[in-house]
Amino acid sequence: MLRSKLTDEMVQFIQGAKDWEEAIRVASEPLLKQGYIEARYVEAIISNVKNFGPYIVLMPKVAMPHARPEDGVNQMGISLLLTEKSVSFDEEKAANIFFVLAADDESSHLDLLKEISEFLTNEEKVSALLSAKKYEDVIKLL
Amino acid sequence: MKILAVCGNGLGTSFMLSLNVNKALKELGIDGECKNMDLASAKTESADYYIGSPEIMEQLNDGKKKVISVVNMVNLNEIKEVLRKQILEVK
């Protein structure tokens, strides 16, 4: 499912971002442009991180920005942003890989999360993703 | 044994963590189940142990709850190690 959801327009590559907020905004843009989410969903993600801390950083170098379905999701989707320079969340947590997840109910996204979890468990794949330069490099890993 | 995986909104990070905690429990032979929940609900939900990222555990800890912090939500070895230390070796 990850492979079919992560279309060309959902994957972006940038040099870096001035802070984690900017990275999350850029990472969410494809979902916003394609109408999967409302602008308020992005604001909800950012305010959650401000309120609760960077719990969206799943492992070193990998973040999964997300909020709740009622925060403005129209359709389930996922986008991916890869940054060359790592983006800091606090003194300890930083990320180069941003999977923005938009779940439209409590259960539809669970298979997608299982797939992401399995992908992230594979160290070789994660390190190959970190050095991906174009869409083709990403899609062949999925 | 009831374990709650907790994150800010209870459906992304905590679900992913619960998948791996359940795997770890099985491999360690601990009889228990891990479910996921958001921080606000977890504050009033009773469980034997609560598990999540350090900043979430800090906010959940009221001095009575048994909390377990993990940094890497997908590293089965790290999760097994903390569960072994916090659950098996404490008993």
Side-chain angles (χ1 to χ4, degrees):
Chain A
M1 195 196 291
L2 192 51
R3 196 185 163 91
S4 65
K5 290 275 169 199
L6 220 45
T7 53
D8 198 352
E9 68 252 27
M10 289 295 163
V11 182
Q12 302 177 91
F13 302 84
I14 60 170
Q15 270 284 317
K18 74 170 159 62
D19 54 28
W20 62 265
E21 248 189 86
E22 187 182 83
I24 288 176
R25 287 183 200 282
V26 174
S28 308
E29 259 167 34
L31 291 168
L32 194 58
K33 269 189 200 154
Q34 305 286 328
Y36 285 78
I37 55 170
E38 308 285 336
R40 66 189 174 95
Y41 187 71
V42 184
E43 301 312 316
I45 296 173
I46 291 168
S47 84
N48 279 347
V49 174
K50 285 183 177 162
N51 291 336
F52 303 124
Y55 67 91
I56 57 170
V57 181
L58 299 176
M59 60 183 280
K61 297 180 181 169
V62 183
M64 187 177 69
H66 62 285
R68 294 192 60 82
E70 62 270 24
D71 293 325
V73 177
N74 298 325
Q75 198 188 327
M76 182 179 78
I78 185 162
S79 63
L80 171 65
L81 174 72
L82 296 167
T83 67
E84 212 154 291
K85 287 184 198 143
S86 67
V87 178
S88 300
F89 281 83
D90 60 18
E91 300 79 34
E92 285 162 14
K93 292 188 172 181
N96 297 74
I97 299 174
F98 294 79
F99 283 107
V100 180
L101 177 74
D104 58 352
D105 61 36
E106 297 278 337
S107 59
S108 62
H109 63 291
L110 298 181
D111 286 333
L112 192 58
L113 284 179
K114 278 183 199 165
E115 258 186 76
I116 297 172
S117 177
E118 271 161 34
F119 179 86
L120 296 177
T121 308
N122 187 327
E123 282 174 30
E124 279 173 28
K125 285 195 173 185
V126 174
S127 98
L129 185 59
L130 282 167
S131 54
K133 299 278 176 261
K134 54 186 193 298
Y135 180 68
E136 289 68 33
D137 299 340
V138 173
I139 204 71
K140 72 176 182 207
L141 296 170
L142 305 175
Chain B
M1 179 184 299
K2 180 178 168 184
I3 300 180
L4 274 186
V6 185
C7 77
N9 46 32
L11 90 174
T13 313
S14 57
F15 173 75
M16 203 173 265
L17 178 60
S18 74
L19 289 175
N20 293 308
V21 169
N22 279 320
K23 268 188 210 161
L25 289 172
K26 208 172 176 186
E27 287 186 19
L28 290 170
I30 299 172
D31 183 22
E33 198 195 358
C34 181
K35 289 188 172 166
N36 58 303
M37 195 172 275
D38 64 283
L39 178 60
S41 311
K43 283 183 176 166
T44 54
E45 178 81 12
S46 69
D48 296 296
Y49 294 91
Y50 301 79
I51 189 164
S53 64
E55 69 276 4
I56 296 285
M57 291 300 100
E58 202 173 289
Q59 294 169 74
L60 185 66
N61 197 351
D62 55 3
K64 291 176 203 146
K65 290 186 170 72
K66 290 178 184 161
V67 300
I68 302 173
S69 294
V70 282
V71 175
N72 188 325
M73 311 287 158
V74 296
N75 186 325
L76 195 58
N77 287 332
E78 181 188 330
I79 294 169
K80 273 163 74 177
E81 193 57 34
V82 292
L83 293 181
R84 187 186 290 126
K85 275 193 189 142
Q86 303 279 334
I87 298 178
L88 294 180
E89 290 175 12
V90 170
K91 270 188 178 171

